[in-house]
Amino acid sequence: RPTACMNSGRPSLVCGVASNVCVESTIRDAFFLEYFPVLVRDACYQAGPEFTQQATVYNVEQFFGWSATVDDVASACNSSLAA
């Protein structure tokens, strides 16, 4: 486990395939290890119908972390670099 990031207050960006299975599992693990997971929701694709993606976004936002779009992440990175 990477201990350098634990309790650092830095977000962990999470994206990938099977957002309702693999990605959500990774977010849950990160949350329980005291990371701050951010689901990059438009950089993921669900395994199954669209409502499973919506359910994953709901679960993440309500219980395990935050969600953002690729544009949100790019804007935050650009703002950070400008500061």
Side-chain angles (χ1 to χ4, degrees), residues 10-38:
R10 288 192 269 172
S12 298
L13 302 174
V14 184
C15 59
V17 179
S19 52
N20 54 314
V21 183
C22 301
V23 174
E24 186 173 343
S25 295
T26 299
I27 287 172
R28 288 171 183 247
D29 287 345
F31 176 80
F32 292 126
L33 292 171
E34 300 180 13
Y35 287 80
F36 296 92
V38 178

Side-chain angles (χ1 to χ4, degrees), residues 22-80:
C22 301
V23 174
E24 186 173 343
S25 295
T26 299
I27 287 172
R28 288 171 183 247
D29 287 345
F31 176 80
F32 292 126
L33 292 171
E34 300 180 13
Y35 287 80
F36 296 92
V38 178
L39 171 67
V40 186
R41 60 185 180 269
D42 57 347
C44 295
Y45 194 79
Q46 74 278 358
E50 173 61 28
F51 72 82
T52 60
Q53 175 76 1
Q54 295 167 357
T56 297
V57 172
Y58 176 84
N59 283 340
V60 170
E61 291 177 344
Q62 295 300 310
F63 306 110
F64 301 112
W66 299 266
S67 76
T69 64
V70 170
D71 288 340
D72 295 335
V73 172
S75 294
C77 289
N78 288 335
S79 295
S80 177

